[in-house]
Each structure stands twice: as C-alpha cells, then as structure tokens.
Amino acid sequence: MPSLNSSLNIGARSLFNQQSGIATAGHNIANLNTEGFSRQEVHAKSELAQPDGTGGGVRRGMPQRIFDRFTSRKIVQEESNSAALGAREKFLAKLEIIFNESDDAGLRRSLNEFWDSWSLLANEPESDAAREKLKNQSEALSSRFRSMHMELRGIRSEANSRVAGVVSEINNIVDQIADLNRQISSYELVDRTANDARDRRQLLLEKLSQKVDVSWLEDSRGQMKVSVGSTGWSLVEGRKGRELRASLVGGETGMYHIQGIGEHEYKVDLSNEFRSGELKEVLDIRDKTIVSYMQQLDDLAFGLAHKLNKIHASGTGLSSGMERIKSSYGLNQDAQLEPLPFIKDGIFQFHLLDDDEEFYATYEIEIQAGKDNIYDIVNRINETVNDPLYFQASIEEDGSAVFLSGGGKQFIFGDDQTDFNVVMGFNNFFETLNGAEDIRVNNRLLEDPKNISSGKDLVPGDNQIALEIAKLQTRPTMNDETQTFDEFYNGILADVGLRIQRNQVEKEHQDTMLAQFKDIRDSVSSVNMDEEVANLVQYQKAYEASAKFVSTVDGMMETVIQM
Amino acid sequence: MRVTDITKRDQVVEHIQRNGKQLQRLQGELATGKKINKTSDDPIGATIIQDTVTTISRNQQIAQNTDSNIAWLELIEIELNHVADLLENAKVLALSQAGDATTTESRAIVAQELRSIRTALFDAANARSGKLYLFSGTETFTQPLRFNDPIQEAKIESTSVPQRDVAERIDLDLFKAQFEEHSSNEYRIRITRTGTFGRALYQVSDDLGETWSKEQILLPVIKVVNPDGKPDDQVILRFTSKDGVHSEVASDQNAGFFDFADSGKIFQEGLEFSYLPNPQIAYDGNSQKKEVLIANNTTVPISITAENLFLKNGEEGINVFGLLSSLGHALESDNGKGIADRIAQLDVARNQVLKQVATVGNTIRELEKAKSKLDDQVYTKQKRLSEVQDVDLAESMVELNSAELNNKSSLDAGGRLLQPTLLQFLR
C-alpha cells in the first residue's frame, strides 16, 4: 500500500511538472516572433510503479527543443546560393542602369546621332553647321564612353568595399559562434539544457552561410566546427574563432583579396577558394562580370577610334594645310629603337602646298613593317624631301614625332597604306590610349571643326572620306569584322538583360525552394499560439487537479493525525 | 503539415509581395505606356527596339539629306533648262541669218546678240546655291568658268642654239614676244630663215610640229593662222619693245616698225615661239562626281560639271563657247557656209545639254523614289517599334483589374487568417 507521503510526493511532482509545462508554453509564446527560435516541449514520463503496483506519478522532464536536423542542414546549404543570387541581383540592377538605353541619354542614342552627323557631313561637306553638329555629337559620344567607364568603375569599387564589409560581417559571426560554443559546452557539461544557445548558434550558422559557403559538424561535446571554402579552411574550432582578413597588400591595386589568418600570423590567400555565398558572388562581380563589361566597352571604343582614324587620317577638311603637327602618341626610349608596331608594308604619302594652297610637291615614303623603327622612318622622310627649309620631320624628347614645314609651305596628308598616321596619331579623329576611359576627340578638330576630314586634297565639295566613315555604321567592323558597332553594343546590352532575367528565374526558383525548406522547418519548430494556449489550458486544468489531489491527500493526512 | 504563426505569416507576406510585384509592373507599364522599361524586361525586345530606333534615325537623316539633294538637283535642272533655251534662241537667231535675204548689218546685230547669249550662258554655268557653285564638280567653292587673259607671254626656244644661249641671242631686255586672243590649239611659230623683220621667214604648226604651213615673212605683228587648221582661230603674235611700245597698226601689212636695227636684231633660224592652248573660257572645277547616300551603302552621283556641259572637244562633244564665238566670227565675216555648219552644231550642243537635263531628271526621280522608300521604311519601323515596346492599353487595363481583384481578395483572406486566435473563444 502506498504511503500518504509518497502520494504527497506524487502530488508535488505533478504540480511541479504542470508548472514547468505552463512555463514552457509561456516561453514559447514569448518567443513567438523570435527569429530562429525552436519551440520547446516538456517531455514528462510516468514514474516507475511502487512495490505494491500503484503508479508512482510523473517523473519531471526537461524542456526539449523540437528541431529538424536534416531540414536545417539543407537550409544552411541553400542560404549560400540564395544570398549569392541576391547579391548578384543587386549589382546587376546597378549595371542595368548604366546600360539603360530606354532614355535618351544612352550610348546607342549617342552613336545614332554621331553617325547621322557623319551622314549629314557627307551630304554637305562644305557646311559649317554640319561640322559644328558633328563636333558636338562626337564630344557627346566620347564623353558618354568616359562616363560609362567611370560608372562601371564606381560599381566595381562599390563591390570592392562590399568585399571588406562581408569579411567583417563574417568575422563578427565567427566570434559569436565561438562564444556560443563555449556557452553550450559549459551548460551541457553540468547537464543543463542549452536549447536557446543552440537555436542562436544555428541561426548564426545560417547567417554565416549567406556570406560564404560553410561546412560544419558538431563534436561529442556539442561544439560546432565550422570551415569555409573548397579546401575547408577552418573558421571556428571549439571556443576559438579565426578571422578572415580583407587585405590590400599584393594583388590588383586597390582591390581587396581575402586572407585566412592561422596560428602565428600564418596567412593563406582564400580569394579563389569560395564556392558560393555573397562573398564569392561579390568577388566574381568585381573581378569577372564588371571587368568583362569594361573590357567590351573598351573594345568598342578602340574599334570605333581605330576604324574611324584609319579613314580620317588621310583626309582633309576645309581649312588649309598644316605647318606643324605633333603625334598624339609618344614612344618610350626602348620602343623608339624597336620596329614600329601595328604598321603595314606600303606607301605613306604627304603633300607640300604653296602659300596659295597649290600643290607644290608630293612625297611617297615606303615603309617596311617589322623592320623600320621611328628613326628609320623620320630619316627616310627627311631624305626624300631633302629640303629642310620647307619640310622637316623630327622626334621630340617625349618620343612623339613632329612634322614641321617652313618657307611659306604647308603640308597635308595623302593616301596611307601603312597606318603610320593612325599608329602615331597624326590627324586622328578620336584619340585614346586606354579605350573608353580616355577616348577623346582630337583637339585640333574641336578647336576648328573645319579641320575635320571630309574629303581629300583640300577639295571642299569632296565627300569621300565622310561618306566612307558614314558607311562604317552598317559595316561589320568588330569581332574579326563579323559585327557592326551597333551589333557589338547590342551584344553587351542583351547580355546584361539576359543575365538579369536568368538570375531572376534562378533566384525565384532558389527562393521558393528555400522558402519550402523553411516552411518544413517552421512547421516543425515554430510556435503556434493557439496550440500553446490550448496547452496552457491543459496544464492549468492539470495543475488545478494536482492541487486538488494534494489537498485530498492533505485531508487524508489530517484524518489520520486526528485519529 | 503543422501550421504555425510563422508559416501563416510567411504565406500571407509572400502573397502580398507577389501581388504587389504584379501591380507594380502593370502600374509601370501603364504609366509609361511601354512594355519594356528596362533591358531585363525583355532583352531581345530591347535590342530590337535599339536597332529599330537606329534604322529610323538613319533613314530620317538620309531622307533629310535626300531632300536637300533633290533641291540642289532641281536648281541644276532649272539652270540647265535655261541653258537649253538660250541655245535654242541662238539657233533661231542663226537660222534667221542663214538665208540670202540678210544683210551685213543684220548679221552684225545678231552677232552682238549672240555675245549676250554667251554672257548669259557663262553666268548660268557659274550659278550658285548659297555659297556653293552648282557646276564645279567637288570644287564647290571655286567659280567653274573663268575668262582667260587674252595676253600670253610667248615661250621662246631654239632648236639650233643651246637653250641657255637663247636668252642671250634674243635680247629679252629689248623686246617682248606675246600672243593675244584665245584658242584651244597649241601653236608653234618657227623661224625658217635668219633675218630681221621683213626679212626673216616663219612657218606655223598647230599639231606640235607634225605639219607646217608655208613660209611667210616675219613682221612685228603677225596673225598666227595655220591655213590647214581652223579658219576662225585668231591668235596674234605681237612683238613690242620692253616697255610695251608697239606699232599702232594691227594689220598684217607694213606694221610700223620700231627700231630694232640698233641692236642688230636678227631672228635666228630655228627659233621657236610657242603658244599654249588658251581658250577664252577655262574650267577651274574638277571632274570628280559627288556621291550621295540614298540607302545603306547605296550611293548615286549628283554632280554635273560645266566642263561636261560646255567645254567638250572633238569626239567627246561640243565646246559651246567656242561654237558661239566661231558662229559670231562667221556672222561677222558673212560666211554663209560657216553659219550653216554652226547651226547643225548648235543642235548637237543643245542635245548635249538636254542629255544632261535628262540625267538630272532621272537622278531626281531616283532620289524621290529612294526618299519615298525611306519614308515607307520609317513608317513600317515605327509601327514595328510600337508593336514591340508599346503597351496594349485594353489588355493591360483588364490585367490590372484582375490583379487588383486578386490583391484585394488575398489581403482580405490574409486578414481573416491572421486575426482570430483561440483566446477570443476562451471563457
């Protein structure tokens, strides 16, 4: 027969148990909106039967978190991909603004107006208004190139500072995980539950995986070991977190690269080790996506300048000949002695004019590509002319070439099979060393648009040069002469657009998948208030009943005492 | 699956987002009237729009160019018709003097009228549009036709004396040898017998020395005419003193000598005086034709040069000014056969002009055709552009209505899902 005392015990434990049930429900309700919180349940067991076979009441249970280990693992992995796609979306949206052609300020509009101006000049080579228009449109076009380059560079440096930002976010999370590792192991060592610390650690792991792809495992003492990248560089080991560093030392100037810092300042470059996550995506955007668009824009600027200059250089405009011209480009000391690059075999021609603009003489200079250096050519020019009073070529200290006429003579350029004019930058239309960054209209043309070549030999109504240039618009000139300028630029445009579209689809898919996993997890782990309220009611009733039981036993004891 | 407050909230939020996106897209489309506002809305469509805009812009520019070219050619056409009329007048005038019932006086009057026709032709050939000359090829700043100075310094050479000695033998300080009047021939006068004026003999060649005329006596003023050549050519070789004093008498007989005897001036055998062609009217333009774009990479020439119109020689055509001046000479010299011959040639000259009128007319028609094709293309492309980028208003409004309805009902449902709790029903 059970003793009254033991019955009183049963009652006490029962009260206690219902109370902790109520407390747990309260905890759950309190954390209804807490991110990463897993609901807890008190799992009570019935006590072993007493020797006489009556039940022993309830054994007190510990609150346990309801947690779906498998789904959580999946979520951590997918967070990396989602965050990568999210970062990509943000940067692509910025890129799209640069390549936005829907308004009137786009590069394509500038190109259209540029070509139309050449078409107009070809029709009215004598017209000052046509030249003025062309001058303005050319300036607009070249400045559009430059500002697009600057905008791309701006986004690139934005991505670069984001790299540093992500790294410091990672370090912050790593520290917190290491700290939680310490807390969890010290709690669990003394048999206390660390449910909420574990929830927090799991949440931090998810956040970390948004930044960078992580691998992790939990050791027997409940400590999480976290590593990143394809080589598994360890970030958290027990209570110790190791930092990543965004370093400017080495690598491309001004661009961060990522170092893992080990024991005794041992450094490993991890920049290329990451497989997903925001960090990898931002690095990719910085070093691949944007760089490739900048490259293509440069290609376009170079292509345009080169094709145009080639035609422009041998032409003349309305104004008379030149008395002095300095090449736009200079050769450094070493290059001066090397054969002049990019030139072709053939004849390079120029004419001397009298002061009344009648042709005085025509000189043909033969140039051998891959053999003649700039001194050879300059000497040959001087030997051919053989009249230093009237005409002289020379090389300046800065490595540029100078043509100088005197004695009332002036000179103009004629046919050029060799590209000598274009390579040295005589009478070019566009001048550029680095492509889109510094493309500019030749200053001589801006100062006097009459200098813009429209024809040859100073014939005012001759439009052959302008016509030839106007035709460039529809001629395949880019990519080994398979694409027009417009098609080439369309390629960039479509690439940006398609990339965004593809990313949208991928991101939508990825987000849906992630949402579904989270849904699964939440349906297991998150709190349903109505459930908790029901629990409350249940525990409260149970508590009341337990109290009744205790007072019953109490009454029984009193009865016994009064006997 | 268990339903929790978070899953409920997530679902509601997700649907609010989804409906919001849809509404935002539709609002954007309806506000701008365009389906494609960013490249990523439809990348391929966006590039089609770019290409279409380029084509429209280029076509409009070429159409504008073509308009100004048509205006230019119409000016040319007017001038050419004027020229053809002038030549017709010349022919009528000449015909009136071809018969026997004419007098020397009337012929002289007609010759005078012909001179004013020549002037009118000269002015027509030098016509301008703005600052640009119509008929100088691509030398548009240069007046195409110019009257040549009738005076030309003779070039003196010798076949028997070494060149450097020529100047010494003929004392150039003492006299000048100069040609007067215009001709398109190249004449050479050769001394065939050494002597002074009145003694020395000379021959004339108009074919660079292939054939020579019979010998004549050298005088201070001689008419240089090769009898086998053109009778209407009148070039005069005149010797004057250094300071320009020369005989008053222009006849070929006994021109008043001025005294070369002091210097013992003797013209050596083998001495040659050459006259370079110096037609009355010279062409200063060029023969380059201006090509203009009428479509992508298709060009047509639009230049007519005064040279082609008026100054062709031999088999290439007629030198109209030469013809008129020789007609004048024929009239003045009462040369009936000469007049008749010139009348026939006037027809050829007029045809030469009319052929150019026809060419210009054809070019104008070609340009007009090209222009209307360009306009058609612009219209088609604009339609295409509208198809690709413009919103179908009716469709979008219907879509907007249904999206709105969707949004409202999902908000309503969301509200109902989130509101009630068990608490409302306890106690």
Side-chain angles (χ1 to χ4, degrees):
Chain A
M1 208 176 96
S3 72
L4 277 179
N5 267 341
S6 70
S7 292
L8 210 52
N9 258 339
I10 289 176
R13 278 206 302 275
S14 170
L15 276 173
F16 206 80
N17 214 34
Q18 310 315 331
Q19 202 179 337
S20 85
I22 284 175
T24 305
H27 183 62
N28 283 344
I29 291 170
N31 286 297
L32 187 69
N33 294 315
T34 304
E35 194 185 7
F37 177 75
S38 304
R39 75 192 160 99
Q40 296 173 9
E41 275 179 12
V42 179
H43 287 283
K45 283 192 193 126
S46 55
E47 193 60 87
L48 288 178
Q50 299 185 33
D52 62 353
T54 52
V58 71
R59 181 187 287 177
R60 190 183 157 209
M62 297 290 271
Q64 292 195 333
R65 64 201 263 262
I66 312 297
F67 180 68
D68 181 342
R69 195 170 294 275
F70 169 76
T71 314
S72 295
R73 179 165 282 272
K74 198 71 196 144
I75 287 170
V76 172
Q77 286 165 357
E78 297 303 336
E79 283 279 14
S80 277
N81 295 330
S82 268
L85 292 168
R88 192 183 298 168
E89 185 179 47
K90 276 188 210 122
F91 278 100
L92 286 179
K94 287 176 186 164
L95 279 173
E96 189 181 25
I97 294 170
I98 296 183
F99 290 102
N100 187 13
E101 291 290 330
S102 308
D103 57 7
D104 284 345
L107 181 73
R108 186 70 188 267
R109 292 292 158 103
S110 301
L111 272 172
N112 288 348
E113 279 160 14
F114 175 71
W115 294 123
D116 289 346
S117 305
W118 275 108
S119 172
L120 180 65
L121 182 67
N123 208 53
E124 301 167 8
E126 307 93 344
S127 151
D128 289 334
R131 285 170 189 275
E132 203 59 38
K133 180 176 178 212
L134 174 60
K135 172 192 140 178
N136 289 333
Q137 296 303 348
S138 312
E139 269 191 301
L141 176 64
S142 59
S143 93
R144 184 80 204 117
F145 265 115
R146 294 198 301 274
S147 69
M148 281 176 87
H149 176 89
M150 287 314 293
E151 284 163 29
L152 282 172
R153 202 145 75 169
I155 296 186
R156 190 156 186 240
S157 76
E158 213 174 293
N160 190 40
S161 31
R162 185 71 200 127
V163 167
V166 173
V167 166
S168 80
E169 285 167 19
I170 290 174
N171 288 337
N172 186 7
I173 295 173
V174 163
D175 285 349
Q176 293 186 50
I177 291 180
D179 193 46
L180 283 167
N181 268 347
R182 190 185 53 75
Q183 273 186 36
I184 290 167
S185 71
S186 62
Y187 268 57
E188 290 181 349
L189 214 59
V190 292
D191 244 0
R192 288 169 58 191
T193 56
N195 287 336
D196 301 288
R198 279 173 175 275
D199 277 346
R200 287 228 298 285
R201 192 175 64 181
Q202 187 65 29
L203 182 65
L204 285 168
L205 188 66
E206 278 173 29
K207 298 244 185 263
L208 182 62
S209 79
Q210 289 173 0
K211 308 296 167 201
V212 62
D213 57 311
V214 292
S215 327
W216 77 101
L217 50 87
E218 207 181 309
D219 67 13
S220 52
R221 288 183 304 156
Q223 304 220 356
M224 192 178 262
K225 201 168 172 272
V226 183
S227 57
V228 292
S230 50
T231 49
W233 176 260
S234 169
L235 279 185
V236 183
E237 202 130 19
R239 303 168 174 204
K240 203 166 161 41
R242 289 151 116 195
E243 70 168 331
L244 291 180
R245 189 177 291 168
S247 167
L248 280 171
V249 183
E252 194 184 334
T253 315
M255 293 295 157
Y256 291 113
H257 56 112
I258 316 295
Q259 288 176 332
I261 308 295
E263 302 294 325
H264 313 297
E265 279 288 304
Y266 165 72
K267 290 175 196 142
V268 179
D269 194 320
L270 298 174
S271 303
N272 299 317
E273 302 291 340
F274 307 114
R275 286 165 299 190
S276 64
E278 186 181 352
L279 186 57
K280 174 193 159 58
E281 190 56 37
V282 177
L283 283 169
D284 271 2
I285 282 174
R286 188 191 73 182
D287 296 337
K288 292 183 187 149
T289 315
I290 299 179
V291 168
S292 114
Y293 288 130
M294 287 172 95
Q295 183 62 46
Q296 291 182 67
L297 202 62
D298 283 347
D299 287 349
L300 185 62
F302 273 130
L304 192 66
H306 184 74
K307 297 284 175 193
L308 213 72
N309 290 345
K310 212 168 143 49
I311 301 172
H312 187 270
S314 60
T316 56
L318 289 184
S319 46
S320 54
M322 297 165 273
E323 280 168 356
R324 180 178 193 277
I325 194 168
K326 188 176 161 182
S327 64
S328 308
Y329 309 125
L331 298 167
N332 64 33
Q333 293 289 335
D334 298 333
Q336 289 176 16
L337 300 173
E338 293 292 313
L340 200 59
F342 310 122
I343 55 170
K344 302 193 188 89
D345 284 333
I347 304 285
F348 154 70
Q349 205 185 45
F350 63 96
H351 313 279
L352 268 188
L353 308 173
D354 282 334
D355 33 14
D356 54 359
E357 289 190 10
E358 291 298 318
F359 280 72
Y360 171 75
T362 294
Y363 302 103
E364 294 193 336
I365 315 296
E366 198 179 337
I367 293 180
Q368 285 178 294
K371 188 162 169 290
D372 291 334
N373 66 30
I374 185 70
Y375 283 106
D376 296 331
I377 296 171
V378 162
N379 289 340
R380 198 166 305 140
I381 289 171
N382 287 332
E383 279 163 25
T384 309
V385 178
N386 198 18
D387 210 341
L389 182 69
Y390 286 160
F391 186 88
Q392 233 181 338
S394 60
I395 295 170
E396 299 269 280
E397 258 175 44
D398 61 359
S400 57
V402 167
F403 287 179
L404 188 67
S405 67
K409 299 279 185 279
Q410 294 183 322
F411 60 95
I412 58 171
F413 290 108
D415 288 336
D416 179 13
Q417 307 163 338
T418 65
D419 286 356
F420 177 69
N421 276 333
V422 180
V423 171
M424 289 309 293
F426 287 120
N427 200 18
N428 274 349
F429 189 83
F430 283 125
E431 292 178 340
T432 170
L433 281 174
N434 300 327
E437 182 185 0
D438 62 354
I439 187 168
R440 259 167 231 286
V441 182
N442 184 349
N443 220 21
R444 206 171 73 85
L445 311 181
L446 293 181
E447 277 163 10
D448 187 359
K450 281 193 167 72
N451 285 328
I452 296 174
S453 296
S454 47
K456 291 193 162 183
D457 303 338
L458 292 174
V459 176
D462 185 359
N463 66 350
Q464 51 179 315
I465 295 284
L467 198 61
E468 208 52 41
I469 291 177
K471 284 181 184 169
L472 278 180
Q473 185 187 18
T474 50
R475 193 162 285 174
T477 43
M478 299 291 294
N479 264 349
D480 299 323
E481 322 233 310
T482 56
Q483 283 179 310
T484 64
F485 294 120
D486 285 344
E487 281 164 353
F488 184 83
Y489 184 63
N490 259 357
I492 307 179
L493 215 61
D495 188 61
V496 176
L498 287 170
R499 217 183 262 250
I500 291 175
Q501 264 198 342
R502 202 169 53 228
N503 193 57
Q504 270 168 358
V505 172
E506 247 176 88
K507 183 164 185 298
E508 209 161 300
H509 175 75
Q510 179 68 29
D511 286 350
T512 311
M513 188 163 77
L514 185 61
Q516 275 169 359
F517 280 124
K518 282 188 170 168
D519 228 29
I520 294 172
R521 183 195 57 189
D522 288 343
S523 76
V524 174
S525 297
S526 83
V527 182
N528 181 326
M529 199 168 68
D530 294 339
E531 268 181 19
E532 300 304 329
V533 173
N535 284 344
L536 272 182
V537 174
Q538 187 194 347
Y539 283 119
Q540 191 193 7
K541 296 288 177 214
Y543 189 85
E544 279 170 22
S546 300
K548 179 75 189 162
F549 173 70
V550 171
S551 82
T552 307
V553 174
D554 181 47
M556 285 164 72
M557 285 180 107
E558 216 158 301
T559 311
V560 170
I561 289 165
Q562 286 169 1
M563 267 194 320
Chain B
M1 253 189 353
R2 236 179 113 249
V3 174
T4 72
D5 286 82
I6 288 181
T7 57
K8 275 195 283 187
R9 185 204 60 201
D10 282 354
Q11 183 173 323
V12 169
V13 168
E14 192 201 328
H15 285 116
I16 287 174
Q17 276 297 327
R18 197 176 291 174
N19 290 329
K21 264 184 205 162
Q22 168 94 339
L23 277 170
Q24 194 181 351
R25 179 180 63 79
L26 283 167
Q27 197 277 337
E29 285 184 9
L30 282 165
T32 59
K34 287 179 181 169
K35 269 188 284 193
I36 303 177
N37 290 302
K38 302 193 302 295
T39 311
S40 59
D41 290 341
D42 178 359
I44 302 308
T47 59
I48 291 174
I49 289 174
Q50 291 309 318
D51 285 341
T52 314
V53 168
T54 299
T55 309
I56 290 172
S57 164
R58 183 176 55 228
N59 280 1
Q60 281 173 338
Q61 181 64 51
I62 297 178
Q64 184 196 326
N65 291 351
T66 306
D67 273 340
S68 83
N69 291 329
I70 290 174
W72 168 266
L73 284 172
E74 279 170 350
L75 275 179
I76 288 184
E77 204 178 26
I78 289 168
E79 292 299 334
L80 290 182
N81 281 325
H82 178 54
V83 165
D85 289 348
L86 286 171
L87 290 175
E88 179 68 28
N89 285 352
K91 187 186 159 195
V92 170
L93 284 171
L95 274 176
S96 71
Q97 302 304 317
D100 296 332
T102 56
T103 64
T104 312
E105 287 76 39
S106 72
R107 285 185 170 175
I109 292 167
V110 166
Q112 186 62 38
E113 282 183 45
L114 280 178
R115 261 194 286 279
S116 60
I117 286 180
R118 281 186 58 184
T119 315
L121 280 178
F122 184 80
D123 290 344
N126 286 336
R128 288 203 282 188
S129 157
K131 60 177 179 179
L132 306 180
Y133 288 95
L134 293 176
F135 298 110
S136 2
T138 56
E139 287 282 7
T140 39
F141 287 168
T142 310
Q143 179 174 313
L145 296 189
R146 160 175 63 84
F147 282 112
N148 270 326
D149 190 343
I151 310 289
Q152 186 188 111
E153 202 82 17
K155 201 175 145 222
I156 306 168
E157 285 171 21
S158 172
T159 48
S160 59
V161 184
Q163 194 58 41
R164 63 186 159 80
D165 293 338
V166 172
E168 288 172 23
R169 297 280 179 108
I170 304 161
D171 194 347
L172 289 176
D173 283 338
L174 210 60
F175 75 93
K176 276 201 298 199
Q178 70 184 25
F179 288 100
E180 293 167 12
E181 297 295 320
H182 302 284
S183 168
S184 45
N185 289 320
E186 183 170 350
Y187 286 111
R188 287 192 193 175
I189 290 111
R190 182 169 74 182
I191 306 296
T192 51
R193 193 179 74 191
T194 310
T196 56
F197 287 124
R199 295 285 311 269
L201 294 180
Y202 74 95
Q203 286 179 315
V204 179
S205 168
D206 64 353
D207 51 9
L208 303 173
E210 291 284 313
T211 59
W212 294 89
S213 69
K214 61 182 194 319
E215 291 184 323
Q216 287 167 282
I217 296 170
L218 183 72
L219 295 169
V221 178
I222 56 172
K223 258 190 186 170
V224 183
V225 175
N226 185 345
D228 308 329
K230 292 86 192 157
D232 302 316
D233 243 19
Q234 291 210 350
V235 180
I236 291 167
L237 176 60
R238 188 191 299 272
F239 296 95
T240 68
S241 70
K242 180 65 190 164
D243 47 3
V245 177
H246 54 82
S247 83
E248 296 300 314
V249 187
S251 81
D252 46 355
Q253 288 298 321
N254 276 336
F257 299 112
F258 53 95
D259 192 10
F260 288 108
D262 284 355
S263 64
K265 186 64 245 155
I266 287 170
F267 291 92
Q268 291 281 342
E269 189 185 329
L271 203 59
E272 270 189 32
F273 302 92
S274 12
Y275 171 88
L276 296 173
N278 186 25
Q280 184 175 24
I281 306 247
Y283 178 63
D284 283 342
N286 63 14
S287 57
Q288 204 181 350
K289 290 202 163 165
K290 182 180 176 186
E291 299 271 341
V292 297
L293 274 179
I294 54 167
N296 296 348
N297 298 331
T298 315
T299 57
V300 291
I302 60 162
S303 312
I304 306 280
T305 64
E307 193 180 28
N308 278 340
L309 269 180
F310 298 117
L311 299 177
K312 285 290 168 192
N313 285 312
E315 290 179 2
E316 286 183 339
I318 299 262
N319 184 326
V320 177
F321 289 99
L323 173 63
L324 286 178
S325 86
S326 62
L327 178 59
H329 284 307
L331 283 165
E332 278 164 353
S333 58
D334 277 339
N335 180 349
K337 173 161 186 310
I339 296 172
D341 285 351
R342 302 299 182 263
I343 289 171
Q345 279 189 306
L346 268 178
D347 275 335
V348 181
R350 190 160 167 273
N351 280 339
Q352 179 173 301
V353 172
L354 287 177
K355 224 158 74 187
Q356 299 285 12
V357 174
T359 310
V360 171
N362 280 336
T363 311
I364 291 178
R365 264 190 299 285
E366 196 176 346
L367 291 185
E368 272 166 353
K369 239 188 284 171
K371 166 101 190 325
S372 83
K373 205 170 135 197
L374 287 167
D375 289 345
D376 284 353
Q377 277 174 1
V378 167
Y379 175 73
T380 317
K381 288 286 178 186
Q382 263 160 354
K383 222 169 69 182
R384 174 101 179 93
L385 190 60
S386 164
E387 277 166 18
V388 179
Q389 76 173 4
D390 287 354
V391 168
D392 181 336
L393 275 183
E395 198 186 303
S396 288
M397 285 309 295
V398 171
E399 231 180 303
L400 181 66
N401 280 336
S402 85
E404 233 171 359
L405 195 67
N406 252 344
N407 191 38
K408 277 182 191 152
S409 51
S410 94
L411 287 177
D412 186 37
R416 288 194 208 175
L417 174 68
L418 292 180
Q419 276 294 335
T421 77
L422 184 57
L423 288 172
Q424 291 163 335
F425 302 95
L426 285 175
R427 216 166 314 195

